[in-house]
PDB file of all heavy atoms in Angstrom:
ATOM      1  N   ALA H   7      93.042 103.781  96.411  1.00 97.00           N
ATOM      2  CA  ALA H   7      94.073 102.754  96.110  1.00 97.00           C
ATOM      3  C   ALA H   7      95.448 103.118  96.677  1.00 97.00           C
ATOM      4  O   ALA H   7      96.176 102.217  97.116  1.00 97.00           O
ATOM      5  CB  ALA H   7      94.193 102.618  94.559  1.00 97.00           C
ATOM      6  N   GLU H   8      95.844 104.363  96.651  1.00 98.00           N
ATOM      7  CA  GLU H   8      97.079 104.827  97.126  1.00 98.00           C
ATOM      8  C   GLU H   8      97.098 104.607  98.725  1.00 98.00           C
ATOM      9  O   GLU H   8      98.116 104.148  99.271  1.00 98.00           O
ATOM     10  CB  GLU H   8      97.344 106.312  96.857  1.00 98.00           C
ATOM     11  CG  GLU H   8      97.585 106.666  95.391  1.00 98.00           C
ATOM     12  CD  GLU H   8      98.889 106.021  94.954  1.00 98.00           C
ATOM     13  OE1 GLU H   8      99.797 105.788  95.753  1.00 98.00           O
ATOM     14  OE2 GLU H   8      99.043 105.820  93.688  1.00 98.00           O
ATOM     15  N   VAL H   9      95.996 104.902  99.348  1.00 98.00           N
ATOM     16  CA  VAL H   9      95.915 104.662 100.797  1.00 98.00           C
ATOM     17  C   VAL H   9      96.005 103.210 101.097  1.00 98.00           C
ATOM     18  O   VAL H   9      96.686 102.697 101.993  1.00 98.00           O
ATOM     19  CB  VAL H   9      94.578 105.220 101.346  1.00 98.00           C
ATOM     20  CG1 VAL H   9      94.455 104.838 102.799  1.00 98.00           C
ATOM     21  CG2 VAL H   9      94.655 106.782 101.282  1.00 98.00           C
ATOM     22  N   GLU H  10      95.301 102.340 100.270  1.00 98.00           N
ATOM     23  CA  GLU H  10      95.386 100.913 100.472  1.00 98.00           C
ATOM     24  C   GLU H  10      96.838 100.323 100.412  1.00 98.00           C
ATOM     25  O   GLU H  10      97.256  99.508 101.025  1.00 98.00           O
ATOM     26  CB  GLU H  10      94.526 100.211  99.503  1.00 98.00           C
ATOM     27  CG  GLU H  10      92.955 100.388  99.832  1.00 98.00           C
ATOM     28  CD  GLU H  10      92.080  99.806  98.786  1.00 98.00           C
ATOM     29  OE1 GLU H  10      92.537  99.713  97.561  1.00 98.00           O
ATOM     30  OE2 GLU H  10      90.991  99.373  99.094  1.00 98.00           O
ATOM     31  N   LYS H  11      97.594 100.863  99.362  1.00 98.00           N
ATOM     32  CA  LYS H  11      98.951 100.538  99.192  1.00 98.00           C
ATOM     33  C   LYS H  11      99.802 100.926 100.420  1.00 98.00           C
ATOM     34  O   LYS H  11     100.597 100.106 100.911  1.00 98.00           O
ATOM     35  CB  LYS H  11      99.574 101.145  97.967  1.00 98.00           C
ATOM     36  CG  LYS H  11      99.052 100.538  96.656  1.00 98.00           C
ATOM     37  CD  LYS H  11      99.933 100.982  95.440  1.00 98.00           C
ATOM     38  CE  LYS H  11      99.939 102.385  95.190  1.00 98.00           C
ATOM     39  NZ  LYS H  11     100.639 102.835  93.904  1.00 98.00           N
ATOM     40  N   ALA H  12      99.559 102.099 100.921  1.00 98.00           N
ATOM     41  CA  ALA H  12     100.316 102.484 102.169  1.00 98.00           C
ATOM     42  C   ALA H  12      99.887 101.690 103.303  1.00 98.00           C
ATOM     43  O   ALA H  12     100.773 101.398 104.137  1.00 98.00           O
ATOM     44  CB  ALA H  12      99.965 104.014 102.380  1.00 98.00           C
ATOM     45  N   ILE H  13      98.679 101.246 103.534  1.00 98.00           N
ATOM     46  CA  ILE H  13      98.304 100.454 104.576  1.00 98.00           C
ATOM     47  C   ILE H  13      99.017  99.064 104.442  1.00 98.00           C
ATOM     48  O   ILE H  13      99.547  98.542 105.394  1.00 98.00           O
ATOM     49  CB  ILE H  13      96.721 100.142 104.568  1.00 98.00           C
ATOM     50  CG1 ILE H  13      95.953 101.521 104.931  1.00 98.00           C
ATOM     51  CG2 ILE H  13      96.326  99.068 105.509  1.00 98.00           C
ATOM     52  CD1 ILE H  13      94.514 101.369 104.723  1.00 98.00           C
ATOM     53  N   ALA H  14      99.019  98.466 103.243  1.00 98.00           N
ATOM     54  CA  ALA H  14      99.717  97.273 103.025  1.00 98.00           C
ATOM     55  C   ALA H  14     101.214  97.309 103.374  1.00 98.00           C
ATOM     56  O   ALA H  14     101.677  96.373 103.942  1.00 98.00           O
ATOM     57  CB  ALA H  14      99.500  96.735 101.595  1.00 98.00           C
ATOM     58  N   SER H  15     101.748  98.444 103.010  1.00 98.00           N
ATOM     59  CA  SER H  15     103.228  98.678 103.297  1.00 98.00           C
ATOM     60  C   SER H  15     103.476  98.624 104.742  1.00 98.00           C
ATOM     61  O   SER H  15     104.479  98.025 105.258  1.00 98.00           O
ATOM     62  CB  SER H  15     103.703  99.902 102.648  1.00 98.00           C
ATOM     63  OG  SER H  15     104.975 100.193 103.030  1.00 98.00           O
ATOM     64  N   LEU H  16     102.630  99.250 105.542  1.00 98.00           N
ATOM     65  CA  LEU H  16     102.758  99.385 106.989  1.00 98.00           C
ATOM     66  C   LEU H  16     102.488  97.997 107.718  1.00 98.00           C
ATOM     67  O   LEU H  16     103.211  97.614 108.563  1.00 98.00           O
ATOM     68  CB  LEU H  16     101.835 100.444 107.599  1.00 98.00           C
ATOM     69  CG  LEU H  16     102.227 101.859 107.339  1.00 98.00           C
ATOM     70  CD1 LEU H  16     101.105 102.874 107.673  1.00 98.00           C
ATOM     71  CD2 LEU H  16     103.487 102.235 108.180  1.00 98.00           C
ATOM     72  N   GLN H  17     101.537  97.369 107.181  1.00 98.00           N
ATOM     73  CA  GLN H  17     101.081  95.993 107.665  1.00 98.00           C
ATOM     74  C   GLN H  17     102.210  95.031 107.476  1.00 98.00           C
ATOM     75  O   GLN H  17     102.337  93.980 108.251  1.00 98.00           O
ATOM     76  CB  GLN H  17      99.809  95.496 107.163  1.00 98.00           C
ATOM     77  CG  GLN H  17      98.590  96.319 107.656  1.00 98.00           C
ATOM     78  CD  GLN H  17      97.280  95.892 107.005  1.00 98.00           C
ATOM     79  OE1 GLN H  17      97.370  95.507 105.835  1.00 98.00           O
ATOM     80  NE2 GLN H  17      96.142  95.942 107.651  1.00 98.00           N
ATOM     81  N   ALA H  18     102.993  95.156 106.422  1.00 97.00           N
ATOM     82  CA  ALA H  18     104.037  94.258 106.098  1.00 97.00           C
ATOM     83  C   ALA H  18     105.271  94.380 106.985  1.00 97.00           C
ATOM     84  O   ALA H  18     106.253  93.648 107.013  1.00 97.00           O
ATOM     85  CB  ALA H  18     104.488  94.333 104.671  1.00 97.00           C
ATOM     86  N   GLY H  19     105.261  95.570 107.796  1.00 95.00           N
ATOM     87  CA  GLY H  19     106.447  95.847 108.566  1.00 95.00           C
ATOM     88  C   GLY H  19     106.073  95.840 110.108  1.00 95.00           C
ATOM     89  O   GLY H  19     105.001  95.317 110.469  1.00 95.00           O
ATOM     90  N   PRO H  20     107.048  96.148 110.942  1.00 96.00           N
ATOM     91  CA  PRO H  20     106.825  95.953 112.401  1.00 96.00           C
ATOM     92  C   PRO H  20     105.891  96.912 113.023  1.00 96.00           C
ATOM     93  O   PRO H  20     105.465  96.739 114.121  1.00 96.00           O
ATOM     94  CB  PRO H  20     108.278  96.203 112.940  1.00 96.00           C
ATOM     95  CG  PRO H  20     108.926  97.118 111.940  1.00 96.00           C
ATOM     96  CD  PRO H  20     108.362  96.743 110.627  1.00 96.00           C
ATOM     97  N   HIS H  21     105.544  98.056 112.305  1.00 97.00           N
ATOM     98  CA  HIS H  21     104.715  99.096 112.920  1.00 97.00           C
ATOM     99  C   HIS H  21     103.262  98.818 112.891  1.00 97.00           C
ATOM    100  O   HIS H  21     102.481  99.214 113.732  1.00 97.00           O
ATOM    101  CB  HIS H  21     105.070 100.420 112.234  1.00 97.00           C
ATOM    102  CG  HIS H  21     106.509 100.848 112.385  1.00 97.00           C
ATOM    103  ND1 HIS H  21     107.113 101.291 113.489  1.00 97.00           N
ATOM    104  CD2 HIS H  21     107.502 100.803 111.357  1.00 97.00           C
ATOM    105  CE1 HIS H  21     108.378 101.457 113.243  1.00 97.00           C
ATOM    106  NE2 HIS H  21     108.590 101.238 112.033  1.00 97.00           N
ATOM    107  N   GLY H  22     102.740  98.114 111.756  1.00 98.00           N
ATOM    108  CA  GLY H  22     101.354  97.951 111.581  1.00 98.00           C
ATOM    109  C   GLY H  22     100.702  99.322 111.179  1.00 98.00           C
ATOM    110  O   GLY H  22     101.372 100.298 110.917  1.00 98.00           O
ATOM    111  N   PHE H  23      99.449  99.301 111.266  1.00 98.00           N
ATOM    112  CA  PHE H  23      98.616 100.484 110.729  1.00 98.00           C
ATOM    113  C   PHE H  23      97.743 100.922 111.832  1.00 98.00           C
ATOM    114  O   PHE H  23      96.894 100.132 112.263  1.00 98.00           O
ATOM    115  CB  PHE H  23      97.899 100.213 109.422  1.00 98.00           C
ATOM    116  CG  PHE H  23      96.976 101.281 109.035  1.00 98.00           C
ATOM    117  CD1 PHE H  23      97.429 102.576 108.880  1.00 98.00           C
ATOM    118  CD2 PHE H  23      95.573 100.974 108.884  1.00 98.00           C
ATOM    119  CE1 PHE H  23      96.459 103.558 108.536  1.00 98.00           C
ATOM    120  CE2 PHE H  23      94.679 102.007 108.435  1.00 98.00           C
ATOM    121  CZ  PHE H  23      95.134 103.237 108.280  1.00 98.00           C
ATOM    122  N   SER H  24      97.839 102.192 112.239  1.00 98.00           N
ATOM    123  CA  SER H  24      97.014 102.777 113.322  1.00 98.00           C
ATOM    124  C   SER H  24      95.989 103.729 112.881  1.00 98.00           C
ATOM    125  O   SER H  24      94.869 103.755 113.275  1.00 98.00           O
ATOM    126  CB  SER H  24      97.842 103.372 114.400  1.00 98.00           C
ATOM    127  OG  SER H  24      98.510 104.578 113.971  1.00 98.00           O
ATOM    128  N   ALA H  25      96.399 104.618 111.949  1.00 98.00           N
ATOM    129  CA  ALA H  25      95.534 105.779 111.504  1.00 98.00           C
ATOM    130  C   ALA H  25      95.928 106.461 110.220  1.00 98.00           C
ATOM    131  O   ALA H  25      97.014 106.440 109.824  1.00 98.00           O
ATOM    132  CB  ALA H  25      95.525 106.842 112.695  1.00 98.00           C
ATOM    133  N   LEU H  26      94.882 106.952 109.592  1.00 98.00           N
ATOM    134  CA  LEU H  26      95.007 107.968 108.554  1.00 98.00           C
ATOM    135  C   LEU H  26      94.696 109.295 109.163  1.00 98.00           C
ATOM    136  O   LEU H  26      93.618 109.511 109.711  1.00 98.00           O
ATOM    137  CB  LEU H  26      94.053 107.646 107.351  1.00 98.00           C
ATOM    138  CG  LEU H  26      93.846 108.718 106.268  1.00 98.00           C
ATOM    139  CD1 LEU H  26      95.063 108.811 105.431  1.00 98.00           C
ATOM    140  CD2 LEU H  26      92.579 108.456 105.431  1.00 98.00           C
ATOM    141  N   ILE H  27      95.578 110.329 108.955  1.00 98.00           N
ATOM    142  CA  ILE H  27      95.343 111.668 109.335  1.00 98.00           C
ATOM    143  C   ILE H  27      95.226 112.572 108.179  1.00 98.00           C
ATOM    144  O   ILE H  27      96.065 112.629 107.357  1.00 98.00           O
ATOM    145  CB  ILE H  27      96.424 112.172 110.362  1.00 98.00           C
ATOM    146  CG1 ILE H  27      95.995 113.589 110.953  1.00 98.00           C
ATOM    147  CG2 ILE H  27      97.779 112.082 109.859  1.00 98.00           C
ATOM    148  CD1 ILE H  27      96.840 114.080 112.058  1.00 98.00           C
ATOM    149  N   ILE H  28      94.036 113.309 108.109  1.00 98.00           N
ATOM    150  CA  ILE H  28      93.880 114.215 106.975  1.00 98.00           C
ATOM    151  C   ILE H  28      93.184 115.484 107.504  1.00 98.00           C
ATOM    152  O   ILE H  28      92.477 115.438 108.505  1.00 98.00           O
ATOM    153  CB  ILE H  28      92.952 113.592 105.882  1.00 98.00           C
ATOM    154  CG1 ILE H  28      91.632 113.124 106.512  1.00 98.00           C
ATOM    155  CG2 ILE H  28      93.721 112.559 105.098  1.00 98.00           C
ATOM    156  CD1 ILE H  28      90.538 112.770 105.457  1.00 98.00           C
ATOM    157  N   ASP H  29      93.310 116.604 106.836  1.00 97.00           N
ATOM    158  CA  ASP H  29      92.539 117.717 106.929  1.00 97.00           C
ATOM    159  C   ASP H  29      91.382 117.410 105.930  1.00 97.00           C
ATOM    160  O   ASP H  29      91.659 117.287 104.755  1.00 97.00           O
ATOM    161  CB  ASP H  29      93.290 118.961 106.515  1.00 97.00           C
ATOM    162  CG  ASP H  29      92.361 120.145 106.330  1.00 97.00           C
ATOM    163  OD1 ASP H  29      91.196 120.077 106.153  1.00 97.00           O
ATOM    164  OD2 ASP H  29      92.909 121.278 106.316  1.00 97.00           O
ATOM    165  N   PRO H  30      90.147 117.215 106.329  1.00 97.00           N
ATOM    166  CA  PRO H  30      89.118 116.823 105.460  1.00 97.00           C
ATOM    167  C   PRO H  30      88.774 117.814 104.341  1.00 97.00           C
ATOM    168  O   PRO H  30      88.074 117.488 103.362  1.00 97.00           O
ATOM    169  CB  PRO H  30      87.811 116.576 106.339  1.00 97.00           C
ATOM    170  CG  PRO H  30      88.167 117.527 107.559  1.00 97.00           C
ATOM    171  CD  PRO H  30      89.614 117.441 107.737  1.00 97.00           C
ATOM    172  N   PHE H  31      89.262 118.981 104.481  1.00 97.00           N
ATOM    173  CA  PHE H  31      89.172 120.006 103.345  1.00 97.00           C
ATOM    174  C   PHE H  31      90.416 120.061 102.563  1.00 97.00           C
ATOM    175  O   PHE H  31      90.528 120.777 101.531  1.00 97.00           O
ATOM    176  CB  PHE H  31      88.914 121.412 104.072  1.00 97.00           C
ATOM    177  CG  PHE H  31      88.427 122.464 103.147  1.00 97.00           C
ATOM    178  CD1 PHE H  31      87.153 122.251 102.465  1.00 97.00           C
ATOM    179  CD2 PHE H  31      89.176 123.610 102.896  1.00 97.00           C
ATOM    180  CE1 PHE H  31      86.691 123.299 101.669  1.00 97.00           C
ATOM    181  CE2 PHE H  31      88.649 124.562 102.019  1.00 97.00           C
ATOM    182  CZ  PHE H  31      87.405 124.419 101.411  1.00 97.00           C
ATOM    183  N   PHE H  32      91.485 119.405 103.019  1.00 97.00           N
ATOM    184  CA  PHE H  32      92.802 119.350 102.386  1.00 97.00           C
ATOM    185  C   PHE H  32      93.298 120.799 102.027  1.00 97.00           C
ATOM    186  O   PHE H  32      93.630 121.159 100.952  1.00 97.00           O
ATOM    187  CB  PHE H  32      92.700 118.529 101.097  1.00 97.00           C
ATOM    188  CG  PHE H  32      92.413 117.056 101.233  1.00 97.00           C
ATOM    189  CD1 PHE H  32      91.067 116.594 101.129  1.00 97.00           C
ATOM    190  CD2 PHE H  32      93.429 116.224 101.678  1.00 97.00           C
ATOM    191  CE1 PHE H  32      90.835 115.273 101.292  1.00 97.00           C
ATOM    192  CE2 PHE H  32      93.138 114.844 101.952  1.00 97.00           C
ATOM    193  CZ  PHE H  32      91.863 114.401 101.711  1.00 97.00           C
ATOM    194  N   ALA H  33      93.321 121.590 103.150  1.00 96.00           N
ATOM    195  CA  ALA H  33      93.584 123.047 103.049  1.00 96.00           C
ATOM    196  C   ALA H  33      95.004 123.271 102.530  1.00 96.00           C
ATOM    197  O   ALA H  33      95.134 124.128 101.552  1.00 96.00           O
ATOM    198  CB  ALA H  33      93.390 123.666 104.459  1.00 96.00           C
ATOM    199  N   ASN H  34      95.982 122.703 103.087  1.00 94.00           N
ATOM    200  CA  ASN H  34      97.388 122.978 102.661  1.00 94.00           C
ATOM    201  C   ASN H  34      97.714 122.354 101.312  1.00 94.00           C
ATOM    202  O   ASN H  34      98.614 122.796 100.617  1.00 94.00           O
ATOM    203  CB  ASN H  34      98.430 122.538 103.689  1.00 94.00           C
ATOM    204  CG  ASN H  34      98.413 123.354 104.938  1.00 94.00           C
ATOM    205  OD1 ASN H  34      98.238 124.525 104.873  1.00 94.00           O
ATOM    206  ND2 ASN H  34      98.582 122.782 106.051  1.00 94.00           N
ATOM    207  N   GLU H  35      96.941 121.463 101.005  1.00 95.00           N
ATOM    208  CA  GLU H  35      97.072 120.770  99.615  1.00 95.00           C
ATOM    209  C   GLU H  35      96.412 121.672  98.552  1.00 95.00           C
ATOM    210  O   GLU H  35      96.651 121.354  97.346  1.00 95.00           O
ATOM    211  CB  GLU H  35      96.360 119.358  99.566  1.00 95.00           C
ATOM    212  CG  GLU H  35      97.084 118.369 100.435  1.00 95.00           C
ATOM    213  CD  GLU H  35      96.612 118.269 101.939  1.00 95.00           C
ATOM    214  OE1 GLU H  35      96.126 119.392 102.347  1.00 95.00           O
ATOM    215  OE2 GLU H  35      96.825 117.324 102.622  1.00 95.00           O
ATOM    216  N   GLY H  36      95.756 122.729  98.942  1.00 94.00           N
ATOM    217  CA  GLY H  36      95.105 123.663  97.947  1.00 94.00           C
ATOM    218  C   GLY H  36      93.668 123.497  97.869  1.00 94.00           C
ATOM    219  O   GLY H  36      92.999 123.947  96.927  1.00 94.00           O
ATOM    220  N   PHE H  37      93.033 122.978  98.917  1.00 95.00           N
ATOM    221  CA  PHE H  37      91.542 122.787  99.091  1.00 95.00           C
ATOM    222  C   PHE H  37      90.941 122.433  97.747  1.00 95.00           C
ATOM    223  O   PHE H  37      90.116 123.218  97.221  1.00 95.00           O
ATOM    224  CB  PHE H  37      90.919 123.971  99.699  1.00 95.00           C
ATOM    225  CG  PHE H  37      91.303 125.343  99.314  1.00 95.00           C
ATOM    226  CD1 PHE H  37      90.821 126.045  98.252  1.00 95.00           C
ATOM    227  CD2 PHE H  37      92.487 125.983  99.960  1.00 95.00           C
ATOM    228  CE1 PHE H  37      91.261 127.254  97.803  1.00 95.00           C
ATOM    229  CE2 PHE H  37      92.896 127.217  99.506  1.00 95.00           C
ATOM    230  CZ  PHE H  37      92.325 127.827  98.438  1.00 95.00           C
ATOM    231  N   PRO H  38      91.238 121.255  97.240  1.00 96.00           N
ATOM    232  CA  PRO H  38      90.696 120.771  95.970  1.00 96.00           C
ATOM    233  C   PRO H  38      89.121 120.609  96.132  1.00 96.00           C
ATOM    234  O   PRO H  38      88.575 120.330  97.199  1.00 96.00           O
ATOM    235  CB  PRO H  38      91.287 119.424  95.725  1.00 96.00           C
ATOM    236  CG  PRO H  38      91.622 118.925  97.080  1.00 96.00           C
ATOM    237  CD  PRO H  38      92.089 120.148  97.821  1.00 96.00           C
ATOM    238  N   ASP H  39      88.408 120.890  95.030  1.00 95.00           N
ATOM    239  CA  ASP H  39      86.977 120.668  94.961  1.00 95.00           C
ATOM    240  C   ASP H  39      86.716 119.148  94.659  1.00 95.00           C
ATOM    241  O   ASP H  39      86.902 118.650  93.576  1.00 95.00           O
ATOM    242  CB  ASP H  39      86.331 121.504  93.855  1.00 95.00           C
ATOM    243  CG  ASP H  39      86.080 122.953  94.164  1.00 95.00           C
ATOM    244  OD1 ASP H  39      85.965 123.190  95.448  1.00 95.00           O
ATOM    245  OD2 ASP H  39      86.070 123.733  93.399  1.00 95.00           O
ATOM    246  N   LEU H  40      86.275 118.479  95.662  1.00 94.00           N
ATOM    247  CA  LEU H  40      86.153 117.031  95.558  1.00 94.00           C
ATOM    248  C   LEU H  40      84.648 116.648  95.466  1.00 94.00           C
ATOM    249  O   LEU H  40      83.832 117.209  96.102  1.00 94.00           O
ATOM    250  CB  LEU H  40      86.797 116.370  96.848  1.00 94.00           C
ATOM    251  CG  LEU H  40      88.332 116.667  97.031  1.00 94.00           C
ATOM    252  CD1 LEU H  40      88.760 116.063  98.394  1.00 94.00           C
ATOM    253  CD2 LEU H  40      89.124 116.167  95.940  1.00 94.00           C
ATOM    254  N   PRO H  41      84.393 115.505  94.647  1.00 89.00           N
ATOM    255  CA  PRO H  41      83.035 115.167  94.512  1.00 89.00           C
ATOM    256  C   PRO H  41      82.477 114.602  95.819  1.00 89.00           C
ATOM    257  O   PRO H  41      83.227 114.103  96.690  1.00 89.00           O
ATOM    258  CB  PRO H  41      83.161 114.033  93.467  1.00 89.00           C
ATOM    259  CG  PRO H  41      84.575 113.485  93.564  1.00 89.00           C
ATOM    260  CD  PRO H  41      85.380 114.684  93.928  1.00 89.00           C
ATOM    261  N   ALA H  42      81.150 114.629  95.889  1.00 88.00           N
ATOM    262  CA  ALA H  42      80.437 113.961  97.082  1.00 88.00           C
ATOM    263  C   ALA H  42      80.871 112.530  97.202  1.00 88.00           C
ATOM    264  O   ALA H  42      80.915 111.789  96.202  1.00 88.00           O
ATOM    265  CB  ALA H  42      78.969 114.205  96.874  1.00 88.00           C
ATOM    266  N   GLY H  43      81.163 112.097  98.420  1.00 95.00           N
ATOM    267  CA  GLY H  43      81.598 110.736  98.689  1.00 95.00           C
ATOM    268  C   GLY H  43      83.058 110.489  98.289  1.00 95.00           C
ATOM    269  O   GLY H  43      83.381 109.225  98.265  1.00 95.00           O
ATOM    270  N   PHE H  44      83.787 111.509  98.089  1.00 97.00           N
ATOM    271  CA  PHE H  44      85.216 111.202  97.568  1.00 97.00           C
ATOM    272  C   PHE H  44      85.965 110.326  98.530  1.00 97.00           C
ATOM    273  O   PHE H  44      86.779 109.554  98.205  1.00 97.00           O
ATOM    274  CB  PHE H  44      85.912 112.558  97.345  1.00 97.00           C
ATOM    275  CG  PHE H  44      87.331 112.413  97.043  1.00 97.00           C
ATOM    276  CD1 PHE H  44      87.719 112.135  95.763  1.00 97.00           C
ATOM    277  CD2 PHE H  44      88.303 112.526  98.008  1.00 97.00           C
ATOM    278  CE1 PHE H  44      89.073 112.048  95.372  1.00 97.00           C
ATOM    279  CE2 PHE H  44      89.777 112.418  97.659  1.00 97.00           C
ATOM    280  CZ  PHE H  44      90.054 112.170  96.341  1.00 97.00           C
ATOM    281  N   LEU H  45      85.724 110.516  99.832  1.00 98.00           N
ATOM    282  CA  LEU H  45      86.505 109.756 100.866  1.00 98.00           C
ATOM    283  C   LEU H  45      85.883 108.477 101.293  1.00 98.00           C
ATOM    284  O   LEU H  45      86.447 107.771 102.114  1.00 98.00           O
ATOM    285  CB  LEU H  45      86.629 110.720 102.082  1.00 98.00           C
ATOM    286  CG  LEU H  45      87.644 111.877 101.952  1.00 98.00           C
ATOM    287  CD1 LEU H  45      87.570 112.878 103.093  1.00 98.00           C
ATOM    288  CD2 LEU H  45      89.074 111.425 101.695  1.00 98.00           C
ATOM    289  N   ASP H  46      84.702 108.123 100.815  1.00 98.00           N
ATOM    290  CA  ASP H  46      83.952 106.979 101.268  1.00 98.00           C
ATOM    291  C   ASP H  46      84.867 105.668 101.062  1.00 98.00           C
ATOM    292  O   ASP H  46      85.013 104.887 102.023  1.00 98.00           O
ATOM    293  CB  ASP H  46      82.632 106.718 100.488  1.00 98.00           C
ATOM    294  CG  ASP H  46      81.666 107.791 100.903  1.00 98.00           C
ATOM    295  OD1 ASP H  46      81.945 108.654 101.756  1.00 98.00           O
ATOM    296  OD2 ASP H  46      80.564 107.742 100.285  1.00 98.00           O
ATOM    297  N   LYS H  47      85.410 105.490  99.985  1.00 98.00           N
ATOM    298  CA  LYS H  47      86.269 104.246  99.739  1.00 98.00           C
ATOM    299  C   LYS H  47      87.501 104.274 100.608  1.00 98.00           C
ATOM    300  O   LYS H  47      87.976 103.238 101.101  1.00 98.00           O
ATOM    301  CB  LYS H  47      86.625 104.164  98.270  1.00 98.00           C
ATOM    302  CG  LYS H  47      85.472 103.795  97.330  1.00 98.00           C
ATOM    303  CD  LYS H  47      85.883 103.608  95.931  1.00 98.00           C
ATOM    304  CE  LYS H  47      84.760 103.219  95.068  1.00 98.00           C
ATOM    305  NZ  LYS H  47      85.115 103.034  93.622  1.00 98.00           N
ATOM    306  N   THR H  48      88.073 105.467 100.810  1.00 98.00           N
ATOM    307  CA  THR H  48      89.260 105.629 101.663  1.00 98.00           C
ATOM    308  C   THR H  48      88.946 105.230 103.038  1.00 98.00           C
ATOM    309  O   THR H  48      89.703 104.515 103.692  1.00 98.00           O
ATOM    310  CB  THR H  48      89.817 107.027 101.475  1.00 98.00           C
ATOM    311  OG1 THR H  48      90.293 107.318 100.166  1.00 98.00           O
ATOM    312  CG2 THR H  48      90.966 107.196 102.496  1.00 98.00           C
ATOM    313  N   VAL H  49      87.843 105.817 103.559  1.00 98.00           N
ATOM    314  CA  VAL H  49      87.481 105.502 105.026  1.00 98.00           C
ATOM    315  C   VAL H  49      87.134 104.071 105.149  1.00 98.00           C
ATOM    316  O   VAL H  49      87.533 103.424 106.149  1.00 98.00           O
ATOM    317  CB  VAL H  49      86.231 106.428 105.361  1.00 98.00           C
ATOM    318  CG1 VAL H  49      85.705 105.919 106.740  1.00 98.00           C
ATOM    319  CG2 VAL H  49      86.672 107.860 105.454  1.00 98.00           C
ATOM    320  N   ALA H  50      86.504 103.474 104.191  1.00 98.00           N
ATOM    321  CA  ALA H  50      86.231 102.075 104.252  1.00 98.00           C
ATOM    322  C   ALA H  50      87.507 101.178 104.267  1.00 98.00           C
ATOM    323  O   ALA H  50      87.519 100.153 105.030  1.00 98.00           O
ATOM    324  CB  ALA H  50      85.328 101.616 103.004  1.00 98.00           C
ATOM    325  N   ALA H  51      88.482 101.623 103.533  1.00 98.00           N
ATOM    326  CA  ALA H  51      89.747 100.826 103.538  1.00 98.00           C
ATOM    327  C   ALA H  51      90.403 101.031 104.821  1.00 98.00           C
ATOM    328  O   ALA H  51      91.045  99.979 105.358  1.00 98.00           O
ATOM    329  CB  ALA H  51      90.646 101.420 102.378  1.00 98.00           C
ATOM    330  N   VAL H  52      90.387 102.161 105.504  1.00 98.00           N
ATOM    331  CA  VAL H  52      90.955 102.349 106.688  1.00 98.00           C
ATOM    332  C   VAL H  52      90.337 101.508 107.848  1.00 98.00           C
ATOM    333  O   VAL H  52      91.039 100.808 108.573  1.00 98.00           O
ATOM    334  CB  VAL H  52      90.887 103.877 107.175  1.00 98.00           C
ATOM    335  CG1 VAL H  52      91.349 104.076 108.618  1.00 98.00           C
ATOM    336  CG2 VAL H  52      91.821 104.653 106.258  1.00 98.00           C
TER     337      VAL H  52
END
């Protein structure tokens, strides 16, 4: 939902939306233990 809000914000401006960039392990974020399929909805939104 946070990613979707960010997409909408970019689409409402002159830049539009090109990409989501992530470390899929979220290393610098502290490498959280994420459930299987955690990114599925995010990728679908992108």
Side-chain angles (χ1 to χ4, degrees):
E8 292 291 335
V9 172
E10 288 173 334
K11 285 194 299 184
I13 291 172
S15 173
L16 287 168
Q17 290 176 326
H21 304 286
F23 171 55
S24 69
L26 168 73
I27 182 168
I28 55 169
D29 171 340
F31 196 63
F32 297 97
N34 287 324
E35 293 88 337
F37 41 91
D39 280 335
L40 302 175
F44 176 82
L45 289 171
D46 290 356
K47 290 183 178 180
T48 296
V49 170
V52 170

